[in-house]
Amino acid sequence: MKKLLKTRLALTMIGLAVFAVTAMAQQAPQFSLRSTEGRTVNSSELRGKIVVLSFGSTTVPLTAKELVALQKQADRYSPRGVQFFWVSVNSDKAGARAYASDADLQAFAQKVSLRIPVLRDPEQQAYKAFGLDGLPTVVIISDGKIALKHVGFGTDQGEGYSEIAKTLDQLLK
């Protein structure tokens, strides 16, 4: 009987260790991004909030449709305290491939009726820190941890981003 209890205790400890490692692996990286209006947004100031970061570029073919769907989500969840940001990975160096100035990004956002803040990640530091490898990708952060990474946007997704809505509904319960 003692041996059985020791085995169970050992298995429980291993399980807790695996859980702790898994939880640490999902910690959101620290980031600091500049908005197209010159404001800096730091992950530390967003601590304790549910944050949606949509990484994209004006050069991605479905970006306009994706941002319309993102704005719908923002309209639905912002009143409940969720913070939304579009994070452009467009270059900020004139003449570079995928270059867009702050004014270009603001005009693009206005053209697709995007009203959430536009942040810049021209060196893709935050993009890489989150371990992303495709555009668009939406990352949801809650309590400093990554709650969801959603890669891609298909036009057959109805309103778009139903998985994001489901995750946000669960986090807001």
Side-chain angles (χ1 to χ4, degrees):
M1 186 68 156
K2 270 187 169 179
K3 191 173 185 175
L4 180 63
L5 288 175
K6 283 184 180 180
T7 303
R8 283 187 180 169
L9 180 59
L11 289 173
T12 300
M13 296 303 283
I14 290 169
L16 288 174
V18 168
F19 175 76
V21 168
T22 302
M24 287 189 313
Q26 294 181 10
Q27 189 71 26
Q30 298 294 308
F31 62 87
S32 180
L33 300 167
R34 186 181 60 77
S35 77
T36 56
E37 295 163 352
R39 182 176 156 249
T40 300
V41 175
N42 295 304
S43 54
S44 59
E45 73 186 45
L46 299 170
R47 189 170 290 129
K49 298 179 181 174
I50 298 172
V51 178
V52 177
L53 301 172
S54 178
F55 288 84
S57 170
T58 58
T59 61
V60 175
L62 286 175
T63 296
K65 289 184 181 189
E66 180 255 338
L67 292 178
V68 168
L70 183 69
Q71 185 61 56
K72 285 181 185 177
Q73 296 290 343
D75 291 344
R76 180 175 174 189
Y77 292 102
S78 291
R80 296 172 68 188
V82 179
Q83 301 279 313
F84 283 79
F85 300 94
W86 182 52
V87 183
S88 168
V89 298
N90 286 84
S91 175
D92 62 355
K93 292 176 178 50
R97 188 173 157 257
Y99 167 74
S101 68
D102 287 351
D104 293 336
L105 291 174
Q106 290 170 342
F108 183 81
Q110 186 175 11
K111 180 180 168 185
V112 297
S113 301
L114 185 69
R115 296 178 304 281
I116 64 174
V118 177
L119 305 179
R120 301 213 59 161
D121 188 19
E123 304 297 323
Q124 299 184 9
Q125 291 176 337
Y127 178 83
K128 291 172 186 171
F130 278 99
L132 307 182
D133 61 4
L135 293 175
T137 297
V138 172
V139 177
I140 299 177
I141 303 167
S142 178
D143 295 324
K145 293 187 174 53
I146 298 172
L148 177 72
K149 284 185 190 178
H150 179 89
V151 181
F153 179 79
T155 55
D156 61 339
Q157 291 179 319
E159 180 187 315
Y161 291 160
S162 60
E163 182 182 15
I164 292 166
K166 187 187 320 178
T167 300
L168 291 173
D169 287 337
Q170 290 172 345
L171 292 171
L172 289 167
K173 283 185 182 179

